[in-house]
Structures are given as structure tokens and as C-alpha cells.
Amino acid sequence: MGVAQAIRAAGLDRFYRRREATDGITRVEPAAADSFAISADSAEAAGLILHVGGDLRETSLLIEGIHCGACVWLIETYLARRPGVVQATVNLATHRARVRWDARRATLADVLRAIASIGYRAHPYDSLRREMQMRREWRALLARTALALLAMMQVMMFALPGYTSTDGVDPEHRALLDWASLALTMPVVFYCAAPFFAGAWRDLRLGKLGMDVPVALGVGGAFVASAWSTLESGGPVYYDSVTMFVALLSVARLFELHARRRAGAAIEAIARDVPEVAERLIDPADTSKTERVAARQLCPGDRIRVAAGAPIAADGTVVDGRSSVEEAMLTGESWPRARMAGDRVLAGSLNRESPLIVRVDAVGEGTAAAGLARMIERAANARPRIALLADRVAGNFVAALLAIAAATAIVWSCVDPSRVLTVTLAVLVVSCPCALSLATPATLAAAAGAAARRRIFTVRSNAWESLARVTHVVFDKTGTLTKGQLSLASVDLLAGHDRSRCVAIAAALESGSMHPIADALQREMAEARQRPMAETLHEQSGAPIVPKSAIVLCDGIVAVPGSGVEATVDGRVHRFGRPEWVGALHREAMPAPARAMSADAISVALADDDGWIAWFAFSDAVRPGAAELVAQLRGMHIGVSLSSGDRAETVAHVAQTIGITDFRGDAQPSAKLEHVASLQRQGAVVAMVGDGINDAPSLAGADVSLSFGTASTLAQWTADVVLVNDDLRGVAQSIAGARRTLRVIRQNLAWAFAYNLVAIPLAASGQLTPLAAALGMSLSSLFVVANALRLAR
Amino acid sequence: MEVLYLLIPLSVTLVFLIGAAFWWSVRSGQFDDLEGPAHRILSDDDSPG
């Protein structure tokens, strides 16, 4: 039996209908309306629709065809006006929409249909389709760009005789060249430039003038004028300008898509930070039998088992077990916190030491992590309105241009009716806002390319503008200015013990633990093994390469969560952990160094039953280059402040170390966001640098946000700029780069406006020779691109 | 200059041929990953794919 028959026999032949309805079609026909109901059904079946209280439903949609902030605004406002739709938010960077609707008054199919009716395609979100859509978009754009570039080169060759010959090309040869150019330009206009025409058509249907309108008008006008000249009149041709314009714009879009794809790979799933699978106890009384269930199937009151080293799937209360839980992603607190029966734990935090039984209190939308996600969306939505401005300017320009063209046509129909068409087309062609519409994208593409070589990726193309105007940078501490992991800061030895021996004992005691202190000791051991090798060898030839002191055998390791570890080493009981608990082993008074520890360090004692052996101080080390960065930013007249969820004294210590005077600790995510907002109210343009989930709301609320390649996916998802190589210097580099970029954009815009100011009156008065029009158009575009390329060096 | 009547159509044909070849190579996924292959040659894994 064939696959097709099997599918049919199982009553699943709607698979074919669905496949036809959703694959590879670029236009949405009314006839395909049935497909909306089908894809809505399959989304329901796949569990992609969330029930959020009462009759409210919510889902994520992936939207194809979004180009700019205007598209986002359009979809949001259009959907919000549909009956039954409660809320719709669209993210420009990820092309995802979150839609919430009332199931009594609307269905998902209605929502999909509404989006299709304004010219976009929406799919219920799943990451596989996102991947496929990205790939399709990339391939199509790459093919279009390559073809346009090829055609551009060849058409330039054909145009060259016209520019270089002094006495004109003889008419026969010229006709041949024109026909050849026409043959090459046709695929460029109909295939390569198709997205611009589609965008312009959508804009016009909705009664607004976007950036695609002048592009389509210029390309279409120049092509029609040239084709008409070739077929009928033998007038001027502009094929070279058409192909060059399309090719350069395509290249700019290609760069933009490439940057977004690279950054987007890391940005994918917000949900990944909260695990998808949980181990539920089948019988609440029996902790040994569990079943694996999807996290969203959990209900309040269920009991789940969380293994050591596993993330917690839901907000809840610990019923059994003791462990330490790392909540750094949610709260910014860098040390794991002890959790025992009766304590609350949060979804997305990491259980470090031993298994816990947790009673589920809230799942899905009710968790603290989901609350953060909502806060981010609200903050992010307040922003991309800036993107609309550029579009409005272009709209006004096009409106003015059309008015001038119309006026020219009217005036010339009185003066000399035979020249109306030529002169009007000359106006349209010469003013074709090539330079104007190339000015920004070409510069942004060049800047993005230069930044990418320094491993700085701009996720949103309008990030540069905000970045250049930044007057204040707010840093997070953990993971941003500091490494976000503990390292051994110092060891205080008592009673003539050997340092490396003490470290080795401590490492051996902690060897079975998942605690960050254990990681820090392991790293210290690894470094120590490389360092003293020379000394050891030189003490006695033929000696073992590993120093004897490094070999520690211990047995009977007992971990006491929240306190420390106990084990027998060389026949003596040793304890390593919290000083009070360690001191209980031998009941000696605490030695002096214990009190002299600095505020930011976490101090851990090592002792055997005879007395204290050593005190270890662990701290979160400041990243290299942090102090230089702060000084550099000051030099650029940029204010710097530090806002962290960590303990106030730790934050103060770090701030002093690197020279930040404005700092606050114990800041909740909402307090961080408020800090950013209050700076903005004072007129500052704020850049936020952070890496954790707890930073995400302020990252979204800041004018521009930077994050690191190692940051949590949620932080990257909300960031405008991702510094992939984790180098703090990238912050100052990207701001300096953005300032340069904005300067070049201004130069380009000034040039384009000046060119139009001179060329349009000349064309309107019928003074412009074909050669001058073509040359002026090409040169103005070339100037803009060359100026932009200065950034790429 | 009669040769132009041969050469110019020839150049147009060539452009279309090259364009078609590139279009095919994009379709077949040769440009999907621009970085991976540069690293793949360094890995010792000889298994195909």
C-alpha cells in the first residue's frame, strides 16, 4: 500500500488539501479561504492555541511579508479593529505576532483571513516553518540579487558606447544595443524587482505612500520610458539606471537579511528557557513513580519531581527535598539560594544540588517568566514608532514628486503637446528617488557588514539610528560587567597548610556537586595543573608531573544542601562550606580573616576535626576591559549607570572597581525598567546592556539594547544588537560605528536632495539631454553607494 | 562591425546561461550555509552529510 493510500485510508486526506493551501503560493486567493479553517484546525490539534481564561484564546503567528515598522503598525491596528480580537502585537525583528481573541466572537480562521486580506501571510507559529520560511526568503533574494547584478554588468557594457563616443553611436548599432539591453532588463524588472512592485501595490491599496512606492515608480517609469523609446520613438533609454538601481537595492536587502538570519539563529525560541517537559508524580504520595508530560499539561496542584541539574517547569512550592536553586536568569541574583519544603520556586530557574518534589502553583501564562514576557511585549511596543517617521518622509516626497510631474504635464500640454510624454517621463526618471531610497539602506548594509566583521550583529536595522544618539548607557552587572560565574578570588591559609593541597582537598570534596563553587574549583585545578609543571619538574628529575599534593582521595562524601560538604580525607573528617556549619565540627573560635572578607565575596571555610585549615573567597570576577569601557564612554560624553538585581553591597563594590558612580542594587526587573523610563523622561536616549531574562523588560524598553552571544535567548530576542564574541569593547565600538553611520546617512540624504533640487527643474523645463539625465541618475546613486562603502573598510 | 550582430546576442545568451546556472545552484541549497562548510573541512568526521 502506498503512502498516499495509507493517508487516505486513515481519513487524513485533508493533508493534501492543507499542503496545497499553504505551500509555495505567493498570493492568497479568495478561493483558498477554506485553507484558513484547515490551518486553524491543525493549529488547535497541535496544541498551538493557548486557553487563557474564560473564552479568551491566544496564539503566536508567523507573518510573511513584513518589511518595516509601518507593516507592524498596520497589522496591529487592522487586527485590533476586527470584532472579537482583544489584542494583537507584532514583533518586527522576529516577524511574530501574538494574537488574543474571544472565542465566542471570532475564530483563528477569522484572524488568519483578516491578515491575508491586507496582503500578508500568517501561519500558526512553529519553529520548523520559521526555518523553512527563512530559507525560502534567503534563496529567493539571493537569486534575485545575483541576476540583477549580472544583468547590471552587461547592461552597463551596452550603455558604455553611448557615454564614451564623441560623435554618437550610429543608429543601427544603437538599436541593437538597446534591444539587447531591453532583453536583459526585462527579467530584472519582472523578476528581481517584483517584491518592490508587490510592496508598492499593497501600500497603494491601503492608501499610503511607503518607500516601495517611489522605488516601483522609478523602476517602472524608467523601464516603460526606455522600452517605449526602443520600440517606437528612438528617444533616450535608462536601462543601465534601472538595472543598477534594482541590483544595489537588492544587495542592501540581502545584507540586511543576512545579518538578521545570523542573529536570528540565536534568537529563536523564548520558550526554550522554560522547559517543555516535566516529570509528574503519578501518585502524589509515592515519589518513585513519575510520568513525563508536556509542561503545558500540568495543572495547579500536580506534583513534579525536579532532578538535580534540571530546570524547573512551573512556579510552585517545594514539598519535599532540600537543594539550592539558581534564579539568576529571573532575578539577577548571582548565588544559588537554598530552598526547602515550603519555599517557592520559579519556572525557568535551575535546581543545582539534589532532587526536589514541587507542588505546581502556576503554569504557562501564570508563571513569573510569562509575566516577564508580557512586560517585555508592552515595553517593546512603545518603541518602533520611530520607524514610521522615515516612511512618512518618503511618502511626502513621493506626493510632492507626483504633484510636480502632474504640473509639468499640464504646463507642457499647453506649451507643446507633442513633448508632454517625454518631458513628464524625464521628470519621473530623473527624480526617481534612487539616491534617496538607496541612501539609508546602502549605508546601513555597509555598516552592518563592517560591524559583523567585529562580531557585532544588528538585529533591527533601525538600531543604528538610536545607537548613534545614545546619551546614557545602563549596564546590568551579572554576566555583563562581570563574568557571571564564580571564580576563586583568594585563599587564606591557617596553621602552615599548603595552598595547592587545600585547593585540591576542596575540589575533591566538591567533585560530585553541581554548585557553581564546584565549577570554580575545577577551573582553578585545571589552571594549577598547567602552571607549576615547570617548578615540579625541576625539583627532582624523574619526579611525577602531577604534584603529590594534588592527589586527594576522599570517601563518604555527604552533601548537606545549603550548608556544605563533608567527607573523609586521609582518615580524617573534613568539612567544606558555610563557616558556622564547618565550625560546628571542631567548635573552635572563628579566626580573624573571616571578618576581614570583602563585601562582594562569598566566603567558604575548610576544616577538619582538629580545627580550621583555610578560608576561600569566591567572587564574580569583573570582565577584562570593563573599566576601560566606562572611561571610553565618559570620553564620548555618555552617562553610565549600573542597575542590578544582585545584593546592593556587591553592586556597590563592582561599581567602585570600574568607576561607575551611579548604581543601584536589589533592582527587580520592573525597577530596572522604571530606571530606564525615568532617564528617558529626563530626555536621555538610553542604551541598555544586559544578558539575563530579568534584563529583558528593560532591554525592550530602552531606546536601543545590546546583549551578548552567551546571553539568555530571551535577552537576545529583545536586544537590537548582539555582541557575539562577548567582548565588552563592542559596546563602545558599536556606538562609535553608529555615529559614523548616521553621519554618512545625513551626507547621502543631503546629496540626494541637492541632486533632485537641481535636476527636477531642469527636467521639468525640458532642458535635460538624455545623456545628462542618465549620467546624473547613475552618478548620484554611485556617489551614495561609494560614500556608504567607506564604512565597510 | 558586422561581428557585433553575433557578439551582442551571444553576450545576452551567456548572461542568461550564467543566471540560470546560479539560479539552479541557489535552488539546490548550495548557498544556504555560508559559514559551516569552511569549518567542516577541519573536522575529522568523515561520514557524509
Side-chain angles (χ1 to χ4, degrees):
Chain A
M1 195 162 75
V3 176
Q5 285 166 316
I7 289 172
R8 223 192 165 86
L12 293 173
D13 46 354
R14 71 154 59 149
F15 163 75
Y16 290 106
R17 277 191 286 154
R18 181 173 173 230
R19 200 174 62 157
E20 275 170 19
T22 51
D23 274 5
I25 302 169
T26 47
R27 271 185 314 152
V28 181
E29 299 291 344
D34 184 38
S35 72
F36 299 127
I38 293 164
S39 69
D41 283 352
S42 58
E44 178 88 63
L48 295 173
I49 298 179
L50 291 174
H51 293 232
V52 282
D55 288 311
L56 290 181
R57 302 282 182 276
E58 184 175 299
T59 197
S60 283
L61 299 174
L62 181 63
I63 301 193
E64 284 181 50
I66 294 182
H67 294 303
C68 55
C71 301
V72 170
W73 169 84
L74 176 72
I75 296 170
E76 283 179 0
T77 38
Y78 187 79
L79 279 184
R81 276 197 231 122
R82 298 296 97 197
V85 176
V86 181
Q87 197 189 20
T89 52
V90 180
N91 183 301
L92 177 61
T94 55
H95 291 190
R96 275 171 66 174
R98 280 186 100 142
V99 186
R100 187 176 277 210
W101 69 94
D102 186 337
R104 283 168 305 180
R105 294 165 59 209
T107 62
L108 179 57
D110 293 337
V111 174
L112 295 179
R113 202 172 292 125
I115 295 173
S117 71
I118 48 174
Y120 300 91
R121 281 163 57 87
H123 313 283
Y125 179 85
D126 63 67
S127 53
L128 189 69
R129 171 157 286 145
R130 163 85 181 158
E131 181 62 38
M132 282 174 52
Q133 184 220 340
M134 263 295 205
R135 201 166 65 200
R136 201 166 61 223
E137 208 178 322
W138 169 252
R139 284 181 177 181
L141 188 55
L142 195 63
R144 287 197 166 102
T145 311
L147 185 62
L149 282 172
L150 258 173
M152 176 188 87
M153 287 195 291
Q154 201 53 46
V155 172
M156 288 278 188
M157 296 281 195
F158 295 156
L160 206 60
Y163 294 138
T164 49
S165 73
T166 43
D167 48 354
V169 185
D170 86 275
E172 250 179 71
H173 285 147
R174 209 195 126 183
L176 178 67
L177 290 171
D178 285 359
W179 276 100
S181 304
L182 175 64
L184 286 174
T185 311
M186 252 187 325
V188 172
V189 171
F190 293 113
Y191 175 64
C192 305
F196 301 110
F197 287 115
W201 173 236
R202 181 165 59 219
D203 284 356
L204 287 178
R205 232 166 21 134
L206 296 164
K208 69 187 183 75
L209 294 168
M211 212 52 178
D212 278 343
V213 177
V215 173
L217 208 64
V219 171
F223 179 73
V224 168
S226 310
W228 189 68
S229 299
T230 308
L231 297 173
E232 291 288 330
S233 70
V237 295
Y238 308 103
Y239 296 119
D240 54 337
S241 306
V242 173
T243 48
M244 185 175 74
F245 185 33
V246 174
L248 294 180
L249 267 184
S250 301
V251 169
R253 285 205 174 173
L254 191 72
F255 276 128
E256 196 189 321
L257 184 67
H258 184 54
R260 220 180 46 196
R261 230 165 69 110
R262 301 250 334 225
I267 287 164
E268 241 312 283
I270 164 178
R272 247 176 242 162
D273 288 321
V274 176
E276 306 230 308
V277 182
E279 278 187 71
R280 181 164 64 186
L281 300 191
I282 298 169
D283 173 9
D286 178 9
T287 58
S288 61
K289 285 207 196 85
T290 60
E291 55 179 349
R292 290 172 77 78
V293 295
R296 61 169 165 263
Q297 287 175 355
L298 291 173
C299 303
D302 281 353
R303 285 168 191 227
I304 53 171
R305 206 180 99 98
V306 185
I312 299 170
D315 285 4
T317 313
V318 178
V319 225
D320 193 18
R322 281 174 72 104
S323 182
S324 60
V325 172
E326 193 175 303
E327 292 173 349
M329 304 233 282
L330 289 158
T331 62
E333 165 77 47
S334 47
W335 320 136
R337 290 192 171 163
R339 287 285 182 267
M340 57 188 95
D343 287 342
R344 263 181 75 73
V345 289
L346 299 174
S349 52
L350 194 66
N351 178 20
R352 301 242 23 168
E353 279 171 26
S354 58
L356 289 174
I357 305 294
V358 175
R359 190 186 67 231
V360 175
D361 293 335
V363 286
E365 288 296 302
T367 59
L372 274 172
R374 278 195 296 275
M375 205 192 291
I376 293 156
E377 264 177 18
R378 273 200 304 277
N381 274 4
R383 186 171 44 171
R385 306 288 167 249
I386 311 166
L388 293 175
L389 189 69
D391 247 36
R392 231 182 358 251
V393 171
N396 290 340
F397 181 81
V398 179
L401 181 62
L402 289 177
I404 294 173
T408 313
I410 293 165
V411 170
W412 276 92
S413 65
C414 303
V415 179
D416 181 0
S418 69
R419 290 186 64 194
V420 173
L421 193 63
T422 356
V423 175
T424 314
L425 275 177
V427 171
L428 278 179
V429 170
V430 86
S431 66
C432 149
C434 304
L436 196 62
S437 45
L438 270 177
T440 316
T443 315
L444 290 178
R453 274 209 306 278
R454 296 204 186 98
R455 315 285 295 153
I456 298 167
F457 288 99
T458 41
V459 183
R460 262 164 255 187
S461 53
N462 60 348
W464 290 108
E465 194 200 337
S466 331
L467 205 52
R469 294 186 295 120
V470 160
T471 57
H472 201 105
V473 180
V474 179
F475 286 98
D476 168 49
K477 185 187 76 69
T478 315
T480 304
L481 289 175
T482 64
K483 286 179 180 159
Q485 61 184 20
L486 288 180
S487 55
L488 184 59
S490 67
V491 184
D492 278 321
L493 300 165
L494 293 113
H497 290 277
D498 169 37
R499 184 184 190 273
S500 58
R501 171 80 183 160
C502 289
V503 173
I505 293 175
L509 285 166
E510 285 279 350
S511 58
S513 166
M514 301 277 295
H515 197 275
I517 284 181
D519 298 344
L521 285 167
Q522 290 304 328
R523 276 195 304 276
E524 178 68 22
M525 288 291 287
E527 279 170 35
R529 264 198 289 280
Q530 283 158 10
R531 213 185 308 129
M533 206 175 274
E535 302 160 26
T536 324
L537 279 176
H538 147 122
E539 267 169 29
Q540 54 189 116
S541 56
I545 287 179
V546 179
K548 211 173 78 204
S549 62
I551 302 167
V552 174
L553 296 172
C554 61
D555 36 37
I557 298 181
V558 182
V560 183
S563 295
V565 198
E566 185 180 290
T568 313
V569 180
D570 297 338
R572 315 194 66 139
V573 177
H574 282 65
R575 275 186 180 185
F576 180 69
R578 259 195 17 236
E580 299 81 41
W581 178 75
V582 172
L585 184 65
H586 50 73
R587 299 175 195 290
E588 269 182 32
M590 284 204 197
R595 284 168 229 118
M597 287 285 176
S598 64
D600 69 311
I602 187 168
S603 57
V604 179
L606 176 68
D608 59 15
D609 43 16
D610 266 358
W612 303 103
I613 296 176
W615 290 76
F616 293 74
F618 293 90
S619 67
D620 188 3
V622 171
R623 273 181 200 252
E628 289 92 317
L629 173 68
V630 171
Q632 215 176 344
L633 289 176
R634 288 252 164 73
M636 295 162 81
H637 305 286
I638 294 172
V640 182
S641 59
L642 175 61
S643 184
S644 172
D646 212 341
R647 289 180 320 186
E649 42 297 16
T650 315
V651 175
H653 179 82
V654 170
Q656 278 153 18
T657 317
I658 58 177
I660 296 179
T661 47
D662 178 23
F663 56 86
R664 58 213 68 207
D666 285 324
Q668 294 290 308
S670 55
K672 288 187 177 192
L673 181 57
E674 176 50 35
H675 176 52
V676 169
S678 73
L679 283 169
Q680 284 170 329
R681 278 195 297 275
Q682 291 159 28
V685 178
V686 181
M688 173 82 201
V689 189
D691 77 318
I693 290 186
N694 62 316
D695 301 318
S698 32
L699 286 173
D703 294 282
V704 60
S705 50
L706 299 92
S707 193
F708 295 97
T710 51
S712 66
T713 36
L714 183 54
Q716 293 190 352
W717 188 62
T718 44
D720 299 307
V721 179
V722 178
L723 310 172
V724 176
N725 62 355
D726 286 336
D727 190 348
L728 261 185
R729 282 174 305 180
V731 175
Q733 278 172 356
S734 53
I735 293 177
R739 287 183 173 179
R740 245 186 348 259
T741 306
L742 204 65
R743 204 157 53 231
V744 170
I745 290 180
R746 289 214 186 96
Q747 288 165 356
N748 280 351
L749 286 177
W751 167 266
F753 270 114
Y755 162 77
N756 280 311
L757 225 55
V758 176
I760 294 177
L762 282 178
S765 58
Q767 298 290 310
L768 218 53
T769 64
L771 181 67
L775 263 183
M777 203 165 129
S778 306
L779 282 181
S780 69
S781 303
L782 277 180
F783 174 86
V784 161
V785 173
N787 195 23
L789 283 178
R790 290 192 307 134
L791 288 173
R793 273 181 310 170
Chain B
M1 295 295 268
E2 297 306 307
V3 73
L4 276 184
Y5 289 94
L6 173 69
L7 289 181
I8 287 177
L10 197 66
S11 69
V12 172
T13 322
L14 267 178
V15 166
F16 279 112
L17 281 180
I18 297 169
F22 190 80
W23 187 82
W24 170 81
S25 65
V26 168
R27 284 282 131 171
S28 64
Q30 296 183 33
F31 292 85
D32 283 353
D33 184 359
L34 297 179
E35 277 129 48
H39 298 284
R40 199 163 300 148
I41 197 163
L42 298 174
S43 71
D44 283 335
D45 182 15
D46 284 335
S47 63

